[in-house]
Amino acid sequence: FTAMSEKLMENVKKTKKIGEDDPRRIVHSIKVGLALTLVSLFYYFRPLYDGFGQAGMWAILTVVVVFEFTIGGTLSKSINRGVATLLAGALGVGAEYLAGLCGDKGEPIVLGLLVFLLAATSTFTRFIPHVKKKYDYGVLIFILTFSLVAVSGYRVNLILQLAHQRLATILLGGATCIIISIFVCPVWAGQDLHNLVSGNIEKLATFLEGFGGDDDKDKSYLEGYKNVLNSKATEESLANFAWWEPAHGGFRYNHPWKHYLKIGGLSRECASHIETLAGYSVNSKHTQAKEASSSELHLKIQPSCKKLSTESGEALRELATALKNKTFPSAAAETHIKNSKSAAEELKRVLENSSLLPTKLDLQEIMPLLVTSSVLIDVVACVERIAVSVNE
Amino acid sequence: FTAMSEKLMENVKKTKKIGEDDPRRIVHSIKVGLALTLVSLFYYFRPLYDGFGQAGMWAILTVVVVFEFTIGGTLSKSINRGVATLLAGALGVGAEYLAGLCGDKGEPIVLGLLVFLLAATSTFTRFIPHVKKKYDYGVLIFILTFSLVAVSGYRVNLILQLAHQRLATILLGGATCIIISIFVCPVWAGQDLHNLVSGNIEKLATFLEGFGGDDDKDKSYLEGYKNVLNSKATEESLANFAWWEPAHGGFRYNHPWKHYLKIGGLSRECASHIETLAGYSVNSKHTQAKEASSSELHLKIQPSCKKLSTESGEALRELATALKNKTFPSAAAETHIKNSKSAAEELKRVLENSSLLPTKLDLQEIMPLLVTSSVLIDVVACVERIAVSVNE
């Protein structure tokens, strides 16, 4: 029994943490509850209930299915749902009319064929990447509405009346969702994407600054970059939702969201270089302490590496700040990039002239340092490409 | 006009390619069309139509929403939908009864409160990762059904009759989907996951074998591994769906799908090492040609590197075959791993003794080779861990 209550406590803690990590989640839950209660009561009170008829339940269905965490998500689903219902409804009426011409025996055959053809081709379009990304939900609703209308067996004028009711309720549900999601503590996908991308660059900067720094004890910088590696899916879905959003807080409609994906991709590339660095970080510093004076080369490479790392870290931080404030990167960023490039050149020169050194080298010993240098040189190239992208 | 028709042709070609890449997509579309037509006609013919009433449309809705590409996906959605409808229906009747006790004025208030509380808490549970992964759709249906039943305004005995009808139609729709997806060209998520994971290991093997091979012109091996890096999301969703599937073709129910995720993760780690190798591949071979005899060290390292790469590639191929046939890895795999490990030792020894060489070293020149060796040593460690995982 204690084990059970312990497990329960643990789950409660975990659940609490989910809310604390992002309080907007709690707000979102309350918003959904609010929207649903409003629509439900609207539907419950008889005068309205009679006006909307059975169709009233479509308002509830719309709210439950359409309300998403971000405004872009809600808009995308509402618009998909509305347009698909209209299109499919019109086609369904057409199908019904066509089948009616074929007489009592032909009708089910024609209807069955039409439903089959439409459902199969529409389902296939859901495999097309572009359709899947933006209109997946719309195609689903299209198939659903077409089948329902075509098979309803009502005569055309009754269908038109039903369609009118149903569209009105879907509009009611969709509008409730959109209004609540925009006016009660709005969560813009675009803003989230913006913060995520600039935050990721900051994490990389923190790593590089820590890696180049002198404090051997503080290893906290080793953790942050890991999130960057796994942010691809989140970035893509946010960019997708942001595409649907109107102008808001400094972003205009049709803001170049694709650029964020590009910057995000470069950040991940940089992060995977950094992962290699992190693997050598512990070893390298260890070696450094042990063999501090054993190799002349060591003494020559080490400072360049540190400078390289610190400068590119600072350049990234400037870029992140510029991105966050939507300004062009300051001159400071360019200076840091220039400095890191000259450090890289310096490093290359040291390596080239290594054969002129008086002592011979123990490769096994200096290997971690060599790999570190080589990866850092890649990082500089990566940082430069991020800078170019941010400038755009 | 020509531009338009060209663009159209291009789109047609792209769409055709989607079908050719995986013909099961076409089959899936036909299966959905078939299921929908069957259910629609069932609903269309009056005798059945009268029996099921308006509820008949729930059968169509269920088919459209529940039919997924893999059997696991279809099962997961059907079961979620069925269980959630039952639970929410029972709770909704309870809410209706409770609200009825509060008199005419209290009823809407109590109902509104209950709907709000349930919707808000259920929406919040959708943020819990475990719930989101397995039961997201169920929670959605739970909120929907509860609201619909609670607000319907019918008396309890009428609700019970409606619920009976609705459950019957949902069962009909779900059963149609499940039967068609299992008996017409089944697509098992488990089998797909199995093929994906072993295929990915094979791609890594192809790269390593090509990298260690002598043929400098055939660079085709450089491409395959890239897919491995991006397979995480697919693997996770397949493993999730596979969890729902009954025993099939050599997999028992509750097959250890999590192991596949582990092996997949190790494969990706290995692939990211390989990405570094691929970056150096062109340079390294170029250097090799130019400086073929310039450095003694080169001549010593090169063969070990080649052997290391080839042997670990062959080990991976053996492991992939073992995984594919669900047997324990053959002795050959172990031999290859042993060989690759001894090659790694050899390589380390060469590096350690480098200070005894008569000539001095140009670090800049041998750097690519050094990085390659270092990464290859990491690859060997990674291959060994994959071997351990496959053994499990």
Side-chain angles (χ1 to χ4, degrees), chain B residues 22 318 355:
Chain B
D22 193 347
E318 289 291 335
S355 51

Side-chain angles (χ1 to χ4, degrees), chain A residues 181-350:
Chain A
S181 72
I182 291 186
F183 291 104
V184 184
C185 306
V187 178
W188 297 99
Q191 185 68 49
D192 267 24
L193 178 63
H194 184 82
N195 295 345
L196 180 66
V197 171
S198 59
N200 277 349
I201 296 181
E202 256 174 18
K203 278 176 194 157
L204 299 182
T206 308
F207 178 92
L208 286 172
E209 283 168 1
F211 189 74
D214 283 319
D215 189 356
D216 275 10
K217 271 174 208 129
D218 183 17
K219 293 280 183 198
S220 58
Y221 68 85
L222 280 170
E223 284 309 314
Y225 77 92
K226 279 181 186 156
N227 296 329
V228 181
L229 286 170
N230 295 322
S231 56
K232 192 180 181 208
T234 318
E235 272 173 24
E236 275 176 1
S237 81
L238 283 179
N240 186 14
F241 289 150
W243 184 83
W244 294 92
E245 289 177 351
H248 61 278
F251 302 100
R252 60 180 197 284
Y253 176 69
N254 253 339
H255 193 75
W257 301 115
K258 275 190 183 167
H259 274 314
Y260 284 94
L261 291 184
K262 201 173 150 199
I263 298 174
L266 289 171
S267 305
R268 268 189 299 285
E269 211 174 287
C270 196
S272 78
H273 287 313
I274 279 180
E275 184 156 63
T276 317
L277 282 184
Y280 281 100
S281 160
V282 184
N283 303 332
S284 146
K285 296 227 164 164
H286 179 69
T287 319
Q288 176 198 353
K290 211 177 66 187
E291 328 265 1
S293 56
S294 77
S295 147
E296 208 175 327
L297 190 70
H298 227 113
L299 290 175
K300 283 199 173 178
I301 294 183
Q302 194 78 26
S304 308
C305 274
K306 287 203 165 178
K307 195 178 166 211
L308 191 49
S309 182
T310 315
E311 289 289 341
S312 36
E314 277 167 8
L316 281 180
R317 194 170 295 283
E318 290 292 335
L319 290 175
T321 314
L323 190 61
K324 205 172 242 168
N325 304 330
K326 281 171 259 167
T327 56
F328 277 99
S330 61
E334 253 175 66
T335 320
H336 285 305
I337 290 180
K338 217 177 269 168
N339 287 344
S340 67
K341 272 163 85 176
S342 69
E345 288 305 317
E346 170 73 25
L347 194 55
K348 278 185 198 156
R349 214 165 324 127
V350 171

